[in-house]
Amino acid sequence: MAASPVQVTGTVLTTRRVDAYHALTVVAPGVADRTRPGHFVGVAVGGPSTSMLTRRAFAIHDVKPDYGGTVELVFTVRGPGTAWLADLRARDTLDLVGPLGRPFPLPRDPCTCVLVGGEYGSASLFALADALQQRGCRIDFVLGAPSADRVFGALRARRMGETTTLTTEDGSIGMRGKVTDVLPGVIADTRADVVYACGPMAMLQGVTAVAVEFDIPVQVAVEEAMACGIGVCMTCVLPVIGDDGVTRMVRACTDGPVFRGERVRFEDVGTIPFDALGAPGGRHV
Amino acid sequence: MLTASGCGGTGRELAQFFDVTRLGAFVTRSITMAPRAGRPTPRMAETPSGLLNAVGLQGPGVEAFLTQELPWLAERGARTVVSIGGGTVAEYTALARRLADAPGVTAVEVNLSCPNIEDRGRVFARDGSSAAEVVASVRAATRYDVPVIAKLASDVADIVAVARSCVDGGADALAMINTPVGMSVDVDSMRPALAAGTGGLSGPAIRPIAVRCVWQVHAALPGVPIIGMGGVTSGRDALEFVLAGACAVAVGSALFHDPYACPRIQRELEELLTERGFDRLADAVGLAHHPPGSGPRGRTDLEESSL
Ligand SMILES: Cc1cc2nc3c(=O)[nH]c(=O)nc-3n(C[C@H](O)[C@H](O)[C@H](O)COP(=O)(O)OP(=O)(O)OC[C@H]3O[C@@H](n4cnc5c(N)ncnc54)[C@H](O)[C@@H]3O)c2cc1C
Ligand SMILES: Cc1cc2nc3c(=O)[nH]c(=O)nc-3n(C[C@H](O)[C@H](O)[C@H](O)COP(=O)(O)O)c2cc1C
Ligand code: FES
């Protein structure tokens, strides 16, 4: 289960640009030492007198032991909250809560794993790759994005992975197309046992379909709009099939963000499936 | 200091951050008879100093609540206010009955901001007589030593009239306010930001409305205890409600920003009261209603207003 989270007012150590992304390293002891691959943090944006009430969720990209523990976040500017974050400089403070969510489960025995990252989704895959390699697993990467500057971490993937396949929709780097176009080939060549994926929902849906085709387990880290990140507001829900076969609207923040891909009803995200527990006019168990 | 209904999860989530037994009370999300999947996503849209939500009372239903959620709170000794929501008077009554013999219920809060199925979906809180009917039947079904709190909405022509109806119906206390209905349109997608279209607005954006409601109701019904809420994020905000007439304050959306909000606000409020020379919170309740110079009210009077 998730390590119990803490709130920390951290100091920004470094900020840098990585292609289309911003990276922010924050001193956050207490968060850093409990982080496992797949965890995320909830970040308060806008400063003390902000009108932005909800926390923003970011995957923890890297953890380092410096200064009692640092976490690095990688993000793209989407709206006012991320724009504020992009303006932070070294020595500014940042209020974070973490580590949050359920991390990626790791296989007991060494096996071959394909790690699929879409855009900044690959940020959370490197810590995972590290943990898998420590268990003697073979790692292969597939990273994709619309264009070359939005493929995150290609160099690092090349260093860590047995093989690394890149795809871009405009063909500016790697193969032209989507990760799902090349994934079947990678799985077949590596005789992969497991797929891990993090990225946009549509990509996760495609990756899951491929893994199901090959009949291998797939773990996906989903992204849903969140207000609290700690499981109290019920705004981040998506339909997921439980062990008992019943679909429930579960919280991405505390029941996820990592789920078994085949359990997530991707086609029904954004709706309440009629057969979900407690759906209007639906089944009541 | 209480949590606001629907903003504290099951209690377990907040317990990771602070001791929920130190709360004045933990208020549950509104419990319904059957499990409810709630509304589709997106359920949330941030607005200036606020938040629109359309969760749609997602919850496991009363049976699962009684076996999985309430015992956890009761074992720890947390004072628990169980909020209930229904579509008919009969459903509220059945819920109150179901709770009557459950151990660990400190009070029952009646969420009146639910659409009345028998009245073309008009919410109970908008109509004094149906609100009073719900409150009276819940009161009758609830153990005599468990207070019944009526939770009111600000979206009404005359909140004092609804408040009076609820008190006449047997409400021991009033909680206000529930979220006023709001809406936001995403100008990029050119669609409503919430899947449900409209949603309830919470956070500091609604505090002036909430304070006004507390003020008006306290002025009209000074003897009725009021739990004030709506955009409380600091001790100063809490004190504002107290001075307007609330004898307890609940914290909702602020928990999304600061999971430690309850103990922090409690501490800040205590400091502010001490600074101002109050020995007890009760001495500050409704003080803003009295012209300067008239001084704090006498003790006897107070005892009455903080029943
Ligand atoms: C588990 C998780 C991990 C994430 N990791 C990263 C990451 O590593 N890098 C990165 O760039 N982005 C990441 N995101 C997305 C990031 O949270 C949003 O881009 C960010 O919240 C947008 O904030 P804003 O103020 O700029 O945008 P706005 O659109 O103005 O945000 C308004 C509100 O909507 C919420 N919101 C909007 N979009 C999202 C979204 N996609 N996901 C969650 N909440 C959203 C915000 O929390 C806020 O409450 C992650 C999201 C989740 C759920
Ligand atoms: C996500 C969310 C869920 C809520 N759920 C309920 C609920 O189930 N029952 C209820 O009576 N009020 C519910 N409310 C309303 C709050 O209890 C409270 O009245 C309101 O949010 C104002 O307080 P605040 O500004 O401190 O959040 C909910 C509010 C939010 C933001
Ligand atoms: S973000 Fe609040 S419950 Fe998941």
Side-chain angles (χ1 to χ4, degrees):
Chain A
M1 244 307 289
S4 93
V6 289
Q7 181 185 33
V8 175
T9 303
T11 305
V12 176
L13 199 58
T14 57
T15 63
R16 61 195 172 100
R17 290 297 303 258
V18 188
D19 297 324
Y21 301 107
H22 299 260
L24 203 61
T25 307
V26 188
V27 181
V31 178
D33 24 311
R34 297 177 217 209
T35 297
R36 301 283 168 274
H39 273 146
F40 68 96
V41 287
V43 176
V45 293
S49 56
T50 182
S51 70
M52 291 183 267
L53 208 60
T54 60
R55 283 181 180 262
R56 272 53 173 171
F58 297 97
I60 299 173
H61 168 231
D62 238 341
V63 171
K64 291 215 173 74
D66 323 359
Y67 304 97
T70 64
V71 295
E72 184 169 51
L73 316 177
V74 173
F75 62 95
T76 175
V77 173
R78 185 184 313 226
T82 40
W84 180 85
L85 275 179
D87 280 339
L88 286 181
R89 293 291 165 259
R91 289 191 291 282
D92 287 342
T93 57
L94 188 64
D95 169 350
L96 359 122
V97 172
L100 299 171
R102 283 174 191 262
F104 287 110
L106 302 175
R108 233 179 317 254
D109 303 312
C111 63
T112 299
C113 309
V114 177
L115 274 50
V116 188
E119 304 186 44
Y120 57 77
S122 41
S124 59
L125 296 180
F126 299 107
L128 172 66
D130 235 355
L132 290 169
Q133 281 178 335
Q134 278 172 24
R135 296 193 171 210
C137 294
R138 172 191 160 136
I139 308 293
D140 295 87
F141 280 100
V142 178
L143 305 184
S147 56
D149 61 334
R150 287 168 68 184
V151 177
F152 180 78
L155 273 179
R156 196 161 171 201
R158 286 208 173 98
R159 270 204 313 273
M160 293 185 85
E162 208 71 35
T163 67
T164 295
T165 313
L166 305 180
T167 65
T168 48
E169 278 157 44
D170 64 0
S172 51
I173 193 173
M175 312 269 284
R176 180 189 294 271
K178 296 184 189 256
V179 290
T180 39
D181 300 331
V182 300
L183 186 58
V186 174
I187 292 177
D189 291 348
T190 62
R191 303 224 197 94
D193 302 300
V194 188
V195 176
Y196 289 94
C198 183
M201 288 300 247
M203 181 202 98
L204 299 180
Q205 179 169 13
V207 169
T208 298
V210 173
V212 166
E213 191 86 1
F214 281 88
D215 197 22
I216 56 175
V218 52
Q219 298 282 345
V220 299
V222 303
E223 189 179 306
E224 264 296 335
M226 295 182 176
C228 76
I230 59 171
V232 297
C233 75
M234 305 301 287
T235 61
C236 62
V237 298
L238 71 172
V240 174
I241 305 165
D243 290 332
D244 54 3
V246 177
T247 297
R248 292 182 179 77
M249 300 306 292
V250 306
R251 294 164 297 183
C253 68
T254 37
D255 303 309
V258 178
F259 294 103
R260 286 168 58 176
E262 73 278 11
R263 294 289 183 84
V264 179
R265 293 178 59 173
F266 287 104
E267 265 161 40
D268 298 320
V269 168
T271 70
I272 305 292
F274 71 92
D275 56 347
L277 179 65
R283 63 190 289 177
H284 300 309
V285 183
Chain B
M1 192 67 47
L2 292 79
T3 56
S5 177
C7 300
T10 62
R12 286 182 175 87
E13 298 84 358
L14 289 180
Q16 303 182 94
F17 298 95
F18 67 91
D19 183 0
V20 288
T21 63
R22 307 253 321 262
L23 285 166
F26 177 82
V27 184
T28 70
R29 56 188 149 181
S30 295
I31 305 299
T32 51
M33 217 49 207
R36 272 177 71 105
R39 293 265 173 65
T41 54
R43 289 179 170 183
M44 180 272 298
E46 199 181 54
T47 57
S49 296
L51 163 77
L52 285 166
N53 88 85
V55 170
L57 300 191
Q58 177 174 349
V62 68
E63 295 309 325
F65 169 75
L66 288 174
T67 55
Q68 289 155 30
E69 296 181 14
L70 187 59
W72 185 90
L73 291 159
E75 274 161 30
R76 273 152 195 80
R79 285 172 292 271
T80 306
V81 175
V82 181
S83 170
I84 57 174
T88 60
V89 177
E91 196 175 340
Y92 281 103
T93 318
L95 280 161
R97 269 205 208 102
R98 200 61 200 81
L99 292 172
D101 39 44
V105 180
T106 305
V108 174
E109 180 174 281
V110 187
N111 175 2
L112 292 167
S113 298
C114 300
N116 182 351
I117 297 170
E118 287 159 353
D119 186 15
R120 285 167 291 132
R122 186 149 75 125
V123 296
F124 291 97
R126 289 212 192 140
D127 172 20
S129 63
S130 56
E133 198 185 336
V134 172
V135 171
S137 60
V138 169
R139 181 61 277 174
T142 303
R143 266 184 23 202
Y144 72 94
D145 57 345
V146 174
V148 170
I149 305 163
K151 181 158 176 188
L152 307 182
S154 59
D155 289 341
V156 291
D158 183 356
I159 190 155
V160 172
V162 180
R164 195 170 272 132
S165 306
C166 290
V167 171
D168 292 345
D172 303 287
L174 301 169
M176 63 190 76
I177 57 171
N178 211 321
T179 49
V181 182
M183 184 167 179
S184 123
V185 174
D186 182 332
V187 295
D188 296 318
S189 68
M190 300 197 269
R191 298 281 307 145
L194 299 177
T198 61
L201 184 61
S202 63
I206 67 167
R207 196 192 314 135
I209 299 175
V211 170
R212 182 267 296 171
C213 292
V214 170
W215 174 280
Q216 290 180 329
V217 173
H218 182 72
L221 305 163
V224 179
I226 298 175
I227 303 166
M229 76 192 84
V232 174
T233 66
S234 69
R236 290 186 74 89
D237 302 344
L239 183 57
E240 191 180 354
F241 276 94
V242 171
L243 293 172
C247 64
V249 176
V251 177
S253 314
L255 291 166
F256 307 162
H257 189 84
D258 175 11
Y260 301 93
C262 289
R264 175 179 57 78
I265 294 169
Q266 169 98 42
R267 198 175 53 240
E268 289 170 358
L269 178 60
E270 281 164 10
E271 282 166 14
L272 288 170
L273 289 169
T274 315
E275 264 172 35
R276 284 161 177 70
F278 293 106
D279 297 333
R280 320 180 308 157
L281 176 80
D283 296 344
V285 172
L287 207 63
H289 288 261
H290 306 288
S294 69
R297 290 191 290 171
R299 285 236 155 175
T300 23
D301 191 14
L302 266 174
E303 235 76 83
E304 231 169 79
S305 69
S306 55
L307 274 177

